[in-house]
Amino acid sequence: MSLITLRDITLAFGGPPIFAGISLQIEPGDRLCLLGRNGTGKSTLLKLINGEIPPESGDIHKKQGLRVALVSQEVPREVAGSVFDVVASGIGNTTALLAEYHRVAHELAVKGSAELLEELTELQHELESCGGWQLHQEVERILNRLSLEADAEFSSLSGGTKRRVLLAQALVAAPDILLLDEPTNHLDIDTILWLEDFLVKSAMAILFVTHDRAFARRLANRVAEIDRGRIYSFDCGYDQFVERREALLEAEVTRQALFDKKLAQEEAWIRQGIKARRTRNEGRVRALKGLREERRQRRERIGTAKIQLQDADRSGAMVAELEEVSFSFGETPIVRGFSTSIMRGDKIGIIGPNGSGKTTLLRLLLGDLQPDSGTIKLGTRREVLYFDQLREQLDLDKTVQENVGEGNDTITVNGRQRHVIGYLQDFLFTPERARTPVRILSGGERNRLLLAKLFTKPSNLLVMDEPTNDLDAETLDLLEELLMEYSGTLLLVSHDREFLNNVVAGTIVLTGNGEVREFVGGYDDWLRQATTETSQAIVAAKPVQTKVKPQQERPRKLTFKEERELEALPELIASLEQEQEALHSRLSDPEFYKSAGGEVVAINSRLAEIEAELEKLLVRWEELEAVKG
């Protein structure tokens, strides 16, 4: 049975309909990736499913007792309280009790009184009796994994951290359908990988909007695309969807070309003076009117942005040189004894956990910060463009046109005068949209606007801090291509693994404790090199085993029963791994979900059992091998 069914949903906000009779079903076990250009209605569809906005017409059927949780792009203004309280509020009935337990526990840690200890014990018993203790443990686990401070005040957090809190709130609620709108924005790569693993193993259905191709490829077992008011659903993974969509677009172009040819022929016929009142021609005239109406109602696909970078004169051969540079914020080391040389034309990716100092390193490389120790030499003739992930270069109260034109109707691009409106159309802003205030734009539109504003100026050093957030797939591909062909120097901070792989030729990795390392290649190359180094370090750290003449105590030998157990372990482990692989294959097959029903939950439960059992068997194998010598 479907969890939710949408039938013939229509919705418009004063212009062309966002949804023109769309239908969609979400089944148990679905991990449905929702794609579409910026402004096509992806976030609107999530809000509609969540019950925040009603459709103008059509039906929405939900399974009785269906629980839905939404993590939106925008942070709700009404959310307040400590991080623990906000996350625990996602659970429901035990929220007040969990919040009180956490408050008393915090107060006890500060004051340490016997009365507080007694009160805390009573609250724990109360939580255990209503099943809330496990929920408390789950809240603590999620907070720990998302690196959130339980006692921090929600209102004091940065925008990115607030989104992580809201993600934690949705995860602890264990909904039947989890709705995620750009979940990877502002998350570091480690947290994204954890989120992927969590969602892949979860039994809940997921509908998510993302620009992160690696995330979509790993997670999606279905894909739906919103295009010109319609929704097209594909029962396949992300890569297969890309292939099928290309084939559909080619077929559409061919079909429209044939239609336009026929319409042109009929228009030529009617202009030849054939009298429409003659009986034998009336049907043909009516058919022509139908063709005209069909052509009038056709909605063309949103065009592709025409983004161009202006190259400044070449910078000096050396862009920046760091020698034994160290920098700290108070007691927190950001960079410790780091040396590097960045040469003209280098394309460098900067990777690290949130808070590790990626933006700080950029500011050191640009000369905005001075190191605590060491030396920084900056190159000559540098023309810098800086893309700020917080988009602080945009004035939200001004219009799109005013932000780019800065009071002028024309701008100079590559030595040629252009009207601001025409230039903005290259970035997919219609004349009407160009005259609207920036604050009403979507996240993707704001990113496109910042690119348009920056690229009016020439550069030879491009610094981009999380430029991929909220961009649709087409604009992301174009930006990727542009950066690959850029002749200047690029410093790129990004959590988009595929974007890093395709664009950069080297990576600088910050660990968060002041250590900074350099690697050749993109994200996958760094991962491979780091894994190899770790393996070599483990081998080097193993003590050299020397034969020691036994003294009074003889080493213990395996018993007959233990020998039989050791012989049976490899076969048992292999059997469990085969079962595990078979179950994963079933879960990754879209056809399985059409008739799976409650079997999805049972399979996920069995996978958890297998994982725990394998861990025990592997530990036991190591113990017996150690005794055997």
Side-chain angles (χ1 to χ4, degrees), residues 174-187:
D176 299 304
I177 299 178
L178 178 62
L179 308 175
L180 300 172
D181 197 352
E182 298 288 5
T184 63
N185 280 4
H186 308 291
L187 298 184

Side-chain angles (χ1 to χ4, degrees), residues 461-618:
L461 174 55
L462 189 57
V463 182
M464 309 200 83
D465 195 352
E466 299 289 6
T468 64
N469 286 348
D470 304 313
L471 290 179
D472 57 47
E474 285 81 359
T475 308
L476 191 61
D477 286 341
L478 183 61
L479 178 62
E480 189 177 275
E481 217 172 284
L482 194 72
L483 295 180
M484 289 168 66
E485 296 173 356
Y486 181 55
S487 61
T489 306
L490 173 68
L491 301 177
L492 172 67
V493 175
S494 180
H495 62 259
D496 189 320
R497 291 155 286 173
E498 188 157 336
F499 195 79
L500 286 166
N501 282 337
N502 293 341
V503 171
V504 304
T507 51
I508 296 175
V509 181
L510 294 87
T511 62
N513 59 4
E515 183 185 2
V516 185
R517 300 282 306 281
E518 282 189 282
F519 295 88
V520 175
Y523 170 79
D524 287 345
D525 298 306
W526 160 66
L527 206 59
R528 185 166 51 252
Q529 293 171 70
T531 303
T532 302
E533 286 186 7
T534 303
S535 302
Q536 290 173 347
I538 291 172
V539 172
K542 281 188 176 180
V544 179
Q545 297 195 2
T546 55
K547 293 183 179 181
V548 180
K549 187 176 179 180
Q551 301 296 321
Q552 294 177 354
E553 279 190 28
R554 291 185 178 182
R556 188 176 81 82
K557 293 184 178 181
L558 292 176
T559 65
F560 177 78
K561 184 178 178 181
E562 286 174 333
E563 287 179 353
R564 301 289 80 76
E565 182 185 0
L566 180 59
E567 289 174 3
L569 276 174
E571 188 175 342
L572 183 56
I573 290 171
S575 174
L576 285 171
E577 287 176 339
Q578 286 175 2
E579 183 183 356
Q580 186 183 47
E581 187 177 348
L583 292 175
H584 277 304
S585 296
R586 293 190 69 188
L587 287 177
S588 63
D589 181 6
E591 295 295 324
F592 167 68
Y593 295 96
K594 293 182 179 179
S595 59
E599 195 177 349
V600 176
V601 177
I603 289 178
N604 278 291
S605 176
R606 176 56 184 156
L607 282 170
E609 292 174 4
I610 290 173
E611 192 171 337
E613 198 171 342
L614 280 171
E615 189 174 344
K616 289 180 183 177
L617 292 175
L618 289 168

